[in-house]
Amino acid sequence: MGFMTKHFLLLALSLSTWSFVAMIACGGTPTSTAARLLAIKSDLIDPGGAMASWSPGLPDTCSWNGVTCSDDRNHVVAFNLSGYGLSGSVSSKFAGLAFLETLDLSSNSLAGPIPPEIGMLKRLRELLLFSNSLSGFIPPEIGLLTDLKVLRLGDNMLSGTIPPHLGNCTGLEVLGLAQCQLNGSTPAQIGHLNRLKTLNLQQNRLTGRTPGELGGCSALQVLSMADNMLQGEIPSSIGRLAFLQVLNLANNQFSGSIPTALGGLSSLSYLNLLGNALNGTIPPQLNRLTLLRILDLSKNNLSDAISISTRQLKNLRYLVLSNNLLQGSISGDLCDESSSLQNLYLAGNHLSGTIQELMDCISLRSLDLSNNSLSGGIPSDIDRLTNLVDLVLHNNSLVGGLPPRLGNLSHLQMLSLFHNGLTGSIPAEIGKLQRLQLLFLYENQMTGIIPHELTNCSSLEELDFFGNSFSGPIPETIGKLKNLVVLQLRQNDLSGPIPPSLGDCNKLQALALADNRLSGTLPPTFRFLTELNLITLYNNSLEGPIPDSLFSSLKHLAIINLSHNRFTGSISPLLGSNALVKLDLTNNAFSGVIPPTLGESTNLARLRLGHNLLQGGIPSELSRLRWLDFLDMSSNNLTGEIPSDLSNCTRLTHLLLGKNRVTGTIRSWLGNLHSLGELDLSWNELSGQIPAEIGNCSGLLKLSLQDNHLSGMIPPELGRLTSLNVLNLQRNNLTGTIPSAVLIHCKKLYELRLSENSLTGSIPSEIGQLIELQVMLDLSRNHLSGDIPSSLGNLIKLERLNLSFNHLDGRIPASLEQLTSLHRLNLSNNPLYGRIPAGLSSFPVSSFTATKLCGAPLTACITRSSSSDMSRLSNAAVAGIIVAIVSISAVVCVVLLCIIIRLWSKWREVSVSNSDGEECKEKQERRGGGGGDRFENYWKVGSTCMVTSSEKQSSTSETSILQQKMEVGGLDDSGS
């Protein structure tokens, strides 16, 4: 405490004292001790009469209850009314008892603040106000009480910080401020209290680092700062506290490594650092703490091997290292025959190897090695641990069978071996464990029968064999386990009837026999299981009616699951409990009507009666089930309309009424069930339109209305169901177009079925936005027309596509080749034409029948280009092209015929006589042509004379032909 602060408080206190003196000087007289005590009494409420002796008529105040006077009986030195149930407040008038040394008002119900006037009690040595409901701050004036030795204010609602002025109480030996709401950091001034023996600050809201000055509390024996939010490293200065016996820093946010200096706390018997963020290895220096009895380092991040040795820590009784990152195998040094260790908890680490090394630790009473990676078997000499009470080895990789010598552990109360790889059968010797209370063998690979000797374990309270392969019957003597509370035999291969003796287990609360091969009827002795609150018998072959006697006896049943059996008769005997929360009778042969009394089970949250033979109407009394969230009455013979009173069940998430004979219309009140996730009204006889209000069920995931007589258009308001995964409206009488709003906004759809309706118009291109479609897109058997939208190629997750029996035309878009997940396709019975894209050729012929398509898997398309061109044109264009081709072909034929005739005539003329050639020559000479080159001449068609090139008038093609003829015939000058 600072110099100025201290003197400021002293000045304030002096001023208060002078005010008191001035009041006397102004005409008043000091009040008597009795008057002061009666004034204190007026601030207290005393329901138990603890202060009944306090009366002005009894002036000897030293005889008043709770008051202790000095030897001369002139002054009150102690005031003790602890534990009298007082309420009210701590009176400021205590300041008038100037000689008071002890003030104890602990363990009452006092409220309000601690009056700062307490700081005037200069002689006060003990101030005990713990376990009340005091609030406000701790007054710093307490720092003026320099003679104070014990200050205990814990277990109140005090808030604010710890005043550093407490560091002035240099005589303080006990400071208890636990279980309040104090915040801020621990003041370093606490380190000035060198006489302090106990510092208890646990269970507050303290933050920040722990001051190293605490090392100055050299007399400290107990330091507890657990359950705060302290951070940083643990100060190594704590290692200087040579007299420290208890160090509790659990459940904070300390980080870093464990200081090796803690190994110097030679007096330490209790060390608790659990629930922090400490890392690194466990310092071997801790093995020097020879007086240590309890060591808890659990729930940290400690790693590497375990370095603790009970050969050195011979007094250690309790070792907890659970939930760290420790590795390696268990060493023999950890615990041997000379050890005093009784409780060893190493659960939740990464330990490997076997547990054989612990067989010498004969002092052990509790051994927990669960949630590690231990292997090997349970040692056959496990009975060497003769004192063992708890053996917990679950969640490891143990193999082999249960050693028969387990039966020699006569003190054993808990045996937990679940989730390992244990095999074999249960040894009969297990029946010798008369004190065994918990036996957990679930999730192993054990086989064989459940031995009847097990029923000799008369102390058994919980028996769990879930998930093994036990076979044979449930022991007939199971009723000998009269303390049994939980019997879990689910998921085995048990057969035969349920033993009637089970009714003798009248403490039984949970009975789980599901997933077996049990047969027969439900024993009438079940009426004696009056404490039963859970029964699950599903997936068996049980049959017959439910005994009527169960209605009046099983009044605490909360969960009933008898589904997937062969029970018959009425369900009424199961409805006697008003505590019922879940009732599942699915897939039996229950008959009769649904009892209206079901509405009296007002806590019912899940009701599943599907797949039975129930008939009659849906009781309107179900509307009283305000907590109901799952209602399944599907696949029965229910008739009538859906009662509108069900609108009161506003928590419904599943409403399943499919496959009945429900009539009427779908009412708009369903839109008020805003929590609805699945609505199934399929396979009924409902008519009318789909109400637009269903679009208000914004959380709907599955909407199934198929196989009814619904008409009208699909309401576009369904587009507001943005979470919808499945929409099935097939086999109704719906008309109109497919609303684009549904396709634009319902982007989470993975199944869409609208087949077998009377929908018209084209398939909206927005359908390509449903990229999550996977299971099925079925628009078949409607009156849809137009092209198949190329956007369907975006549905790359789609597995089945059915567009058959519509009026779709045009070509199959090549984009459908992108549907690599597609394994079923049906485009048949549509006027589609053109080539089938190659990527779809692997689908069967039936996918494309009754179309104008070609290519694999149908017949090949015509390959000539003209035919290919014709396939793209209308019938009129094709006819015009054919006429043009025929006309041109005729003209070409006529021309060729004329050429042939003319060539033939010329050939005749060339071969008549040589005289014609001479005559021609003479004519040329007369013209002055001379004997020109033969290549400059050609035959003039229709004449036997040569003509010069200047006289040429025929076409090039004719010239070429005639030249060839001349060369063949050798009709030139050089050929003579």
Side-chain angles (χ1 to χ4, degrees):
M1 178 176 178
F3 176 84
M4 295 299 295
T5 304
K6 178 177 179 180
H7 284 273
F8 175 81
L9 289 173
L10 291 173
L11 178 61
L13 183 58
S14 299
L15 289 173
S16 299
T17 305
W18 280 110
S19 298
F20 179 72
V21 172
M23 178 190 71
I24 298 174
C26 292
T29 58
T31 58
S32 67
T33 302
R36 293 191 186 99
L37 290 174
L38 290 173
I40 292 172
K41 178 181 179 181
S42 66
D43 289 332
L44 299 172
I45 300 172
D46 180 18
M51 293 183 287
S53 61
W54 290 29
S55 171
L58 190 64
D60 184 11
T61 57
C62 296
S63 63
W64 291 3
N65 182 39
V67 176
T68 302
C69 294
S70 58
D71 292 340
D72 60 7
R73 303 180 69 84
N74 289 328
H75 308 289
V76 175
V77 295
F79 187 98
N80 186 348
L81 289 177
S82 174
Y84 281 105
L86 302 177
S87 57
S89 62
V90 179
S91 178
S92 61
K93 301 179 183 68
F94 276 110
L97 303 177
F99 290 85
L100 199 63
E101 297 178 2
T102 299
L103 175 56
D104 188 355
L105 291 173
S106 62
S107 303
N108 283 292
S109 300
L110 302 176
I114 299 173
E117 289 82 358
I118 292 291
M120 298 174 64
L121 299 174
K122 298 292 187 168
R123 294 177 174 83
L124 199 63
R125 298 167 63 86
E126 295 185 5
L127 177 58
L128 308 176
L129 301 178
F130 62 89
S131 298
N132 279 285
S133 298
L134 300 175
S135 58
F137 300 153
I138 298 174
E141 288 82 358
I142 293 179
L144 300 173
L145 305 177
T146 55
D147 289 339
L148 198 64
K149 293 184 178 296
V150 178
L151 175 60
R152 297 184 61 188
L153 306 179
D155 193 16
N156 278 288
M157 295 186 291
L158 298 172
S159 57
T161 61
I162 300 173
H165 313 82
L166 296 182
N168 297 322
C169 302
T170 54
L172 205 60
E173 297 179 357
V174 176
L175 176 56
L177 304 178
Q179 300 179 51
C180 289
Q181 300 173 18
L182 301 174
N183 53 41
S185 59
T186 306
Q189 290 81 352
I190 298 294
H192 300 163
L193 306 177
N194 55 16
R195 296 181 183 179
L196 194 64
K197 296 180 180 179
T198 299
L199 175 59
N200 190 351
L201 305 179
Q202 66 184 21
Q203 297 183 44
N204 278 288
R205 300 173 182 174
L206 300 176
T207 57
R209 293 178 175 271
T210 301
E213 287 81 354
L214 287 182
C217 300
S218 55
L220 204 60
Q221 298 177 7
V222 175
L223 174 57
S224 181
M225 306 177 75
D227 299 296
N228 281 286
M229 295 178 283
L230 299 172
Q231 300 168 334
E233 297 184 349
I234 298 173
S236 59
S237 60
I238 292 179
R240 302 200 303 265
L241 303 176
F243 298 101
L244 196 64
Q245 299 175 17
V246 174
L247 176 58
N248 187 356
L249 303 179
N251 295 318
N252 279 285
Q253 299 171 20
F254 287 114
S255 56
S257 59
I258 299 173
T260 57
L262 297 186
L265 300 175
S266 57
S267 301
L268 202 64
S269 63
Y270 179 95
L271 175 57
N272 191 346
L273 303 180
L274 81 87
N276 282 284
L278 300 171
N279 54 38
T281 60
I282 300 173
Q285 288 84 353
L286 296 185
N287 289 319
R288 291 164 23 199
L289 304 177
T290 56
L291 298 180
L292 199 62
R293 297 174 61 87
I294 296 175
L295 174 59
D296 192 342
L297 305 179
S298 60
K299 296 182 181 179
N300 280 286
N301 299 314
L302 301 173
S303 56
D304 292 339
I306 299 173
S307 58
I308 298 297
S309 172
T310 57
R311 290 181 178 177
Q312 300 177 63
L313 301 176
K314 293 187 178 299
N315 290 298
L316 195 63
R317 302 286 191 275
Y318 192 100
L319 176 60
V320 188
L321 304 178
S322 304
N323 298 304
N324 278 286
L325 304 173
L326 299 171
Q327 300 174 345
S329 58
I330 299 173
S331 168
D333 288 341
L334 179 61
C335 188
D336 61 13
E337 66 276 3
S338 64
S339 170
S340 301
L341 194 63
Q342 296 180 356
N343 301 278
L344 176 60
Y345 299 98
L346 305 179
N349 283 285
H350 304 304
L351 300 175
S352 56
T354 70
I355 63 174
Q356 186 64 49
E357 294 292 339
L358 292 175
M359 292 304 102
D360 292 331
C361 196
I362 56 177
S363 59
L364 274 179
R365 293 174 54 83
S366 294
L367 175 61
D368 186 354
L369 305 177
S370 61
N371 297 292
N372 279 287
S373 300
L374 299 171
S375 57
I378 299 173
S380 59
D381 56 346
I382 188 72
D383 58 338
R384 293 179 61 190
L385 307 180
T386 54
N387 296 305
L388 210 56
V389 175
D390 300 317
L391 178 58
V392 182
L393 304 176
H394 60 255
N395 283 333
N396 278 287
S397 299
L398 301 176
V399 295
L402 299 185
R405 289 167 68 175
L406 267 174
N408 296 332
L409 299 175
S410 57
H411 299 285
L412 201 63
Q413 296 180 14
M414 179 179 182
L415 178 59
S416 181
L417 305 175
F418 66 84
H419 206 278
N420 278 287
L422 300 175
T423 56
S425 58
I426 299 174
E429 289 81 357
I430 209 86
K432 296 190 295 183
L433 302 177
Q434 296 292 308
R435 298 182 182 181
L436 191 64
Q437 297 175 6
L438 307 177
L439 177 56
F440 297 149
L441 301 180
Y442 61 88
E443 292 179 337
N444 278 287
Q445 303 168 27
M446 302 190 70
T447 56
I449 64 169
I450 299 174
H452 67 87
E453 288 87 355
L454 181 63
T455 62
N456 294 327
C457 300
S458 54
S459 299
L460 264 179
E461 296 177 4
E462 295 188 32
L463 181 64
D464 194 338
F465 293 169
F466 162 79
N468 281 280
S469 297
F470 291 117
S471 57
I474 299 172
E476 292 183 358
T477 54
I478 192 76
K480 293 169 61 178
L481 302 178
K482 297 187 183 300
N483 291 302
L484 203 60
V485 176
V486 175
L487 177 59
Q488 170 64 274
L489 302 179
R490 183 168 73 89
Q491 209 173 100
N492 279 283
D493 197 27
L494 300 172
S495 58
I498 298 174
S501 70
L502 191 57
D504 296 332
C505 302
N506 51 25
K507 294 183 180 179
L508 200 64
Q509 297 179 15
L511 174 62
L513 305 179
D515 292 311
N516 280 287
R517 294 190 296 114
L518 300 174
S519 57
T521 61
L522 212 59
T525 55
F526 268 35
R527 68 183 183 275
F528 300 121
L529 302 178
T530 55
E531 299 297 318
L532 200 64
N533 59 49
L534 179 149
I535 179 170
T536 59
L537 306 178
Y538 57 88
N539 287 340
N540 279 290
S541 298
L542 300 169
E543 59 188 7
I546 306 297
D548 292 334
S549 58
L550 301 189
F551 180 86
S552 58
S553 56
L554 304 186
K555 294 294 186 181
H556 296 100
L557 272 176
I559 298 175
I560 302 174
N561 192 339
L562 308 185
S563 61
H564 301 281
N565 279 286
R566 302 170 188 169
F567 289 115
T568 58
S570 173
I571 67 173
S572 295
L574 295 171
L575 306 181
S577 171
N578 291 329
L580 205 58
V581 175
K582 296 180 181 180
L583 176 61
D584 191 344
L585 305 179
T586 307
N587 199 17
N588 278 283
F590 288 111
S591 57
V593 299
I594 299 174
T597 55
L598 196 54
E600 298 176 7
S601 300
T602 54
N603 293 316
L604 199 62
R606 177 163 296 208
L607 177 58
R608 304 196 65 175
L609 304 177
H611 296 271
N612 279 286
L613 303 174
L614 300 171
Q615 57 190 11
I618 301 172
S620 61
E621 287 81 0
L622 296 184
S623 63
R624 297 163 57 186
L625 306 178
R626 302 300 174 87
W627 297 99
L628 193 66
D629 59 34
F630 201 118
L631 177 58
D632 180 7
M633 297 184 174
S634 59
S635 299
N636 280 286
N637 295 315
L638 301 177
T639 56
E641 297 189 2
I642 303 172
S644 59
D645 291 342
L646 283 182
S647 61
N648 295 327
C649 301
T650 55
R651 287 182 171 84
L652 271 176
T653 59
H654 294 76
L655 179 56
L656 312 179
L657 302 177
K659 294 188 178 180
N660 281 287
R661 290 185 288 131
V662 176
T663 56
T665 59
I666 300 176
R667 299 302 179 89
S668 60
W669 59 261
L670 286 169
N672 298 327
L673 303 180
H674 299 300
S675 299
L676 205 59
E678 181 178 6
L679 176 60
D680 185 357
L681 305 179
S682 61
W683 296 90
N684 278 290
E685 299 175 9
L686 297 168
S687 57
Q689 298 185 349
I690 300 173
E693 289 80 0
I694 288 183
N696 297 331
C697 302
S698 57
L700 202 62
L701 300 176
K702 184 175 182 181
L703 177 58
S704 304
L705 304 178
Q706 72 269 22
D707 292 279
N708 279 287
H709 308 304
L710 301 175
S711 58
M713 301 178 66
I714 300 173
E717 288 81 1
L718 296 186
R720 298 204 295 261
L721 305 177
T722 54
S723 299
L724 200 63
N725 296 149
V726 176
L727 176 59
N728 193 339
L729 305 178
Q730 64 187 13
R731 289 190 288 275
N732 278 288
N733 300 317
L734 300 174
T735 56
T737 60
I738 300 173
S740 298
V742 174
L743 307 180
I744 292 173
H745 300 294
C746 299
K747 293 184 178 180
K748 295 183 180 180
L749 275 173
Y750 65 81
E751 182 175 348
L752 176 59
R753 299 175 186 260
L754 304 178
S755 63
E756 298 186 54
N757 281 287
S758 298
L759 301 175
T760 56
S762 61
I763 301 174
S765 61
E766 291 85 355
I767 201 165
Q769 298 182 25
L770 303 179
I771 58 175
E772 297 299 323
L773 268 181
Q774 179 176 349
V775 177
M776 169 66 97
L777 172 58
D778 190 354
L779 306 179
S780 64
R781 297 184 184 274
N782 279 287
H783 304 302
L784 301 172
S785 57
D787 295 336
I788 298 175
S790 61
S791 61
L792 282 179
N794 298 332
L795 310 181
I796 58 176
K797 296 180 181 180
L798 193 62
E799 298 175 354
R800 291 184 289 174
L801 173 61
N802 191 350
L803 304 179
S804 64
F805 290 95
N806 278 290
H807 305 303
L808 302 172
D809 56 20
R811 295 175 173 275
I812 300 175
S815 61
L816 294 193
E817 292 184 291
Q818 299 170 200
L819 305 182
T820 54
S821 299
L822 203 64
H823 57 78
R824 286 190 185 179
L825 174 65
N826 193 349
L827 304 178
S828 65
N829 293 277
N830 282 289
L832 300 167
Y833 57 81
R835 183 185 299 274
I836 297 172
L840 305 180
S841 61
S842 60
F843 289 100
V845 173
S846 59
S847 297
F848 309 104
T849 56
T851 64
K852 299 178 181 179
L853 298 167
C854 64
L858 302 181
T859 57
C861 298
I862 301 173
T863 58
R864 290 178 300 179
S865 61
S866 59
S867 299
S868 177
D869 291 339
M870 281 189 281
S871 67
R872 298 187 183 94
L873 302 174
S874 64
N875 292 337
V878 171
I881 291 173
I882 292 174
V883 170
I885 291 173
V886 171
S887 300
I888 293 172
S889 299
V891 171
V892 171
C893 290
V894 170
V895 171
L896 289 175
L897 183 60
C898 292
I899 293 173
I900 292 171
I901 293 173
R902 292 177 68 182
L903 288 174
W904 180 74
S905 299
K906 184 58 65 179
W907 179 264
R908 290 286 303 273
E909 292 174 359
V910 169
S911 60
V912 173
S913 67
N914 292 332
S915 59
D916 289 337
E918 293 294 331
E919 184 181 357
C920 291
K921 183 177 182 182
E922 290 175 358
K923 290 181 179 179
Q924 287 180 355
E925 290 174 352
R926 285 194 297 269
R927 294 174 180 173
D933 192 345
R934 64 175 178 143
F935 294 107
E936 295 178 357
N937 303 323
Y938 67 96
W939 292 101
K940 186 177 181 181
V941 179
S943 170
T944 59
C945 298
M946 290 283 289
V947 181
T948 62
S949 62
S950 61
E951 296 175 326
K952 181 170 66 175
Q953 297 176 352
S954 62
S955 67
T956 303
S957 61
E958 292 174 337
T959 302
S960 177
I961 293 173
L962 294 175
Q963 284 177 348
Q964 292 175 14
K965 280 297 193 179
M966 288 168 60
E967 292 173 358
V968 172
L971 302 177
D972 59 356
D973 294 341
S974 62
S976 58

